[in-house]
Amino acid sequence: MPKPVEEPFDQFQQYYRTPNNRSTAQSFQLFLWNSEEGAIFGRTPSSWSKIGIFYIVFYSVLAALVAVCMWVFFQTLDPRIPKWQMDQSLIGTNPGLGFRPLPSEDNVESTLIWYKGTDEKNYKMWTDALDDFLQDYRTPGQVSGRGQNIYNCDYNQPPPKGMVCDVDIKQYGPCTLENHYNYHKSAPCIFLKLNKIYGWVPEFYNESSSLPSNMPTDLKEYIKEKEQKELHTMNTVWVSCEGENAADIENVGQIQYYPRRGFPGYYYPYENSEGYLSPLVAVHFERPVRGIIINIECKAWAHNIKHDRHERMGTVHFELMID
């Protein structure tokens, strides 16, 4: 019996067909609407509906999967307690020191406080910046939860659980809003704050016999005086400000600190309690020499605060110039 003859099939023969002689406009028009096949944008309505159903189901499942993953992730977090703390966190265990007022946002890299004391319009930029910074301290209700859990703390009365210590800015001597923070007298006030680190507890220099050799002499004398007269106030993170160089030390003049020369220990540890505000130290430069730039460095002092200018640990630098 003769074998049936198989018809030859060339799978590539379709590529040798004579192309349709359509113009670009005709091809585009056919892509938009093909009346013979009833296709829109190259697909029939049934094809579009299948694709639409597929993507709706696909993205719905994807969104549900992401939502479940996020829900599981947030179950492992506490809104007030960070997951990584102290040495395990990026912040670490060494707090930095900050100052206010800061220069304008147009010059964020600058640390120069420069103004003319006899020109209110000139120094108003700095006093307005301090007004904005101290607004939360002046109006407790602006901070969530603050006002209901404020406690009048003292060295012998730390705050109970769930309460936060009050920060009374009326104790800042001449460094007040009503007194223009003394900028109009060419004797400005600079406010210092210690950066917050959750759970950090300062190890105080509370014995004059264990003070570091590089601590400024005037601060050592101040601590010795406090030890003799107010021993109960020794648990303090002490603060010092001085000129960086010999010329700066000579030109900076007398410096006063309000309400005390440091951050009281009863504000620590910081536990992200509702309504918490960082304690402040107002540094009053009484008679800085005018017309020159004075480089100033302030430091916070505790056994577990290391000082590093480049890393901005435990210290802050700024310049002061009054015309």
Side-chain angles (χ1 to χ4, degrees):
M1 180 177 179
K3 294 182 180 181
V5 179
E6 296 182 357
E7 295 182 2
F9 176 77
D10 185 1
Q11 59 178 327
F12 299 109
Q13 63 183 345
Q14 57 180 323
Y15 296 106
Y16 299 99
R17 291 183 303 177
T18 303
N20 296 322
N21 295 322
R22 297 193 188 99
S23 64
T24 303
Q26 290 174 331
S27 298
F28 182 70
Q29 185 177 4
L30 189 64
F31 166 75
L32 295 177
W33 168 245
N34 189 330
S35 58
E36 295 179 1
E37 300 178 4
I40 303 173
F41 295 113
R43 291 185 179 275
T44 62
S46 61
S47 176
W48 279 117
S49 62
K50 292 177 182 179
I51 291 177
I53 293 172
F54 167 78
Y55 279 110
I56 290 173
V57 173
F58 174 76
Y59 284 112
S60 297
V61 172
L62 184 63
L65 181 61
V66 171
V68 170
C69 290
M70 292 298 293
W71 180 81
V72 173
F73 172 73
F74 280 112
Q75 297 309 303
T76 66
L77 300 179
D78 189 290
R80 294 197 174 277
I81 302 176
K83 187 175 182 64
W84 308 110
Q85 301 176 23
M86 304 298 287
D87 289 325
Q88 296 179 337
S89 69
L90 292 175
I91 299 176
T93 60
N94 204 99
L97 195 63
F99 76 96
R100 297 292 189 279
L102 295 173
S104 64
E105 296 181 355
D106 297 334
N107 197 9
V108 293
E109 295 183 358
S110 174
T111 54
L112 173 63
I113 300 175
W114 178 18
Y115 73 96
K116 183 179 296 186
T118 57
D119 187 351
E120 181 179 359
K121 293 182 179 179
N122 188 269
Y123 68 72
K124 193 174 186 299
M125 177 189 76
W126 302 103
T127 57
D128 285 349
L130 283 177
D131 287 345
D132 293 339
F133 171 66
L134 295 172
Q135 187 63 38
D136 290 340
Y137 293 85
R138 192 175 294 111
T139 311
Q142 289 193 170
V143 180
S144 176
R146 190 166 176 83
Q148 294 81 23
N149 62 339
I150 294 179
Y151 187 77
N152 291 323
C153 303
D154 197 283
Y155 285 94
N156 298 322
Q157 292 181 329
K161 186 173 180 60
M163 305 292 284
V164 295
C165 292
D166 188 22
V167 182
D168 187 4
I169 61 175
K170 295 179 181 178
Q171 300 180 6
Y172 291 165
C175 304
T176 61
L177 167 65
E178 297 74 19
N179 198 43
H180 305 291
Y181 310 102
N182 235 43
Y183 277 67
H184 64 304
K185 296 182 180 179
S186 299
C189 294
I190 308 297
F191 288 79
L192 301 180
K193 63 184 292 290
L194 202 61
N195 294 346
K196 294 179 287 189
I197 296 180
Y198 187 93
W200 180 78
V201 178
E203 298 173 7
F204 306 104
Y205 284 116
N206 50 15
E207 293 181 356
S208 60
S209 59
S210 63
L211 301 179
S213 59
N214 61 334
M215 179 181 283
T217 303
D218 65 315
L219 179 55
K220 289 182 179 179
E221 294 174 354
Y222 178 86
I223 295 174
K224 289 179 182 178
E225 182 181 349
K226 288 295 180 182
E227 186 178 38
Q228 295 173 359
K229 297 181 179 180
E230 300 177 15
L231 183 61
H232 67 287
T233 66
M234 292 295 288
N235 285 350
T236 299
V237 179
W238 307 108
V239 167
S240 67
C241 290
E242 59 184 353
E244 286 192 349
N245 308 306
D248 298 319
I249 294 174
E250 182 179 349
N251 294 326
V252 74
Q254 291 294 320
I255 301 175
Q256 298 295 333
Y257 304 83
Y258 299 94
R260 59 183 59 82
R261 193 167 179 174
F263 307 104
Y266 49 77
Y267 285 97
Y268 305 97
Y270 165 68
E271 296 180 333
N272 199 21
S273 299
E274 193 173 25
Y276 177 88
L277 289 175
S278 299
L280 303 174
V281 173
V283 185
H284 180 209
F285 297 91
E286 292 185 327
R287 293 180 180 177
V289 175
R290 298 169 63 176
I292 60 172
I293 294 179
I294 305 174
N295 296 283
I296 300 170
E297 183 178 50
C298 296
K299 294 180 179 179
W301 296 89
H303 284 286
N304 54 345
I305 296 181
K306 298 179 181 178
H307 300 135
D308 190 313
R309 290 183 181 179
H310 299 291
E311 297 295 331
R312 297 183 179 181
M313 296 193 311
T315 180
V316 68
H317 163 92
F318 57 91
E319 303 91 34
L320 183 64
M321 182 172 180
I322 305 172
D323 288 335

